[in-house]
Amino acid sequence: MSFDLPRNVILSVDAVDVRLDPGPHPFALDNAEAIAENWQREIAAKPALFDGTVVLLSHLAYRDNRLVGRCHAVNYSTFMLWRKRRENSGAEHAYGHAVLVAGDNALVAIRMGSHTVNAGRVYFAAGSFEPTDFRDGRVDVDFNMIREVREETGLDLSGAARDRRWHVLSTDSGTVIFRRYRVTAPADEVARRISAFVATEAEPEIEGPVIIRHAADLPDGLAPHMKPLVEWHFAGVD
């Protein structure tokens, strides 16, 4: 198990080759009892949590402008314990971000709902990779992004213009793979559509939209990894 990529710097990526290993993750095997005990505490605090399937990495590297890696399907309960034991765990987390750019160049993010693990946090609509996001064993990051944005906001980005290449930011807390998706509507209209969708949901994942209009316009609750992404966008980097 190894992780070999620069930290805390935005990297340009021409291809993402992260593959799903059918075997169990060693972290899940080595911590089965602790995972079960921790999960009971988690659902006692937030009963709406669901023990679905996500993935954790056992290898990730940056080579020749490519992101290559290996991951394993795990229960969400395994992921929740890993969040508390990241250091020297032999596991890491990667996820996708559709950087949603409105027609007026403002960014449209979301604030997570109070019943979620990341309650009150602001970031772009996103979720962990799941086995359904893999095609022929390799992650389809665009599919993940479009699926998560649709589920959380009701927006369909399948026909939206998008950047030619990916970018990646890796920190001690995880690796975000991102690219801009552009819509023609101004930010206020995009936010209105999201709010209307949230109002129809019985148990919405998000509290609502958050508009970011310039690099210094950083809302309360902004997730730590978001500040570099906001600055990157408004600096006009391709």
Side-chain angles (χ1 to χ4, degrees):
M1 294 178 287
S2 62
F3 301 93
D4 182 17
L5 67 167
R7 303 290 195 183
N8 304 309
V9 59
I10 292 177
L11 305 169
S12 176
V13 174
D14 293 329
V16 178
D17 187 9
V18 175
R19 296 184 178 270
L20 184 63
D21 187 317
H25 198 296
F27 181 84
L29 293 177
D30 295 343
N31 295 277
E33 184 175 345
I35 289 166
E37 292 174 353
N38 181 70
W39 184 244
Q40 292 306 308
R41 291 189 291 270
E42 296 286 356
I43 59 176
K46 290 187 178 291
L49 293 179
F50 172 65
D51 197 12
T53 305
V54 295
V55 302
L56 275 179
L57 293 158
S58 59
H59 169 72
L60 191 65
Y62 182 66
R63 296 283 186 273
D64 301 321
N65 289 341
R66 298 173 66 248
L67 192 67
V68 296
R70 181 175 63 254
C71 58
H72 309 252
V74 300
N75 290 336
Y76 190 64
S77 52
T78 300
F79 176 76
M80 291 298 289
L81 179 70
W82 169 81
R83 281 165 52 109
K84 300 176 179 179
R85 300 185 179 183
R86 300 172 194 260
E87 189 173 354
N88 301 319
S89 66
E92 290 201 12
H93 182 227
Y95 52 99
H97 262 358
V99 178
L100 180 53
V101 184
D104 50 10
N105 202 44
L107 299 173
V108 183
I110 53 90
R111 188 180 302 277
M112 293 301 293
S114 60
H115 63 288
T116 66
V117 170
N118 294 319
R121 284 286 195 182
V122 173
Y123 46 83
F124 297 112
S128 297
F129 297 139
E130 301 176 7
T132 189
D133 297 322
F134 288 75
R135 298 291 178 270
D136 298 323
R138 185 169 66 179
V139 70
D140 184 337
V141 185
D142 277 306
F143 180 86
N144 166 268
M145 289 178 173
I146 291 168
R147 176 178 63 78
E148 291 287 351
V149 170
R150 183 185 294 116
E151 289 176 1
E152 294 185 4
T153 70
L155 300 178
D156 182 3
L157 297 184
S158 59
R162 64 196 72 168
D163 284 356
R164 180 172 57 87
R165 61 169 57 90
W166 303 100
H167 286 79
V168 167
L169 174 65
S170 186
T171 70
D172 289 340
S173 62
T175 297
V176 56
I177 307 166
F178 60 96
R179 73 181 350 160
R180 293 185 186 93
Y181 280 72
R182 298 182 183 274
V183 297
T184 57
D188 287 338
E189 173 62 19
V190 176
R192 186 197 65 76
R193 294 176 188 173
I194 295 173
S195 295
F197 173 79
V198 171
T200 67
E201 293 283 280
E203 294 185 358
E205 287 189 62
I206 69 172
E207 181 180 310
V210 177
I211 299 173
I212 303 173
R213 298 192 182 278
H214 51 80
D217 183 22
L218 302 180
D220 292 340
L222 190 71
H225 71 272
M226 282 287 290
K227 185 174 184 289
L229 271 61
V230 170
E231 293 172 344
W232 166 85
H233 167 69
F234 287 109
V237 179
D238 293 328

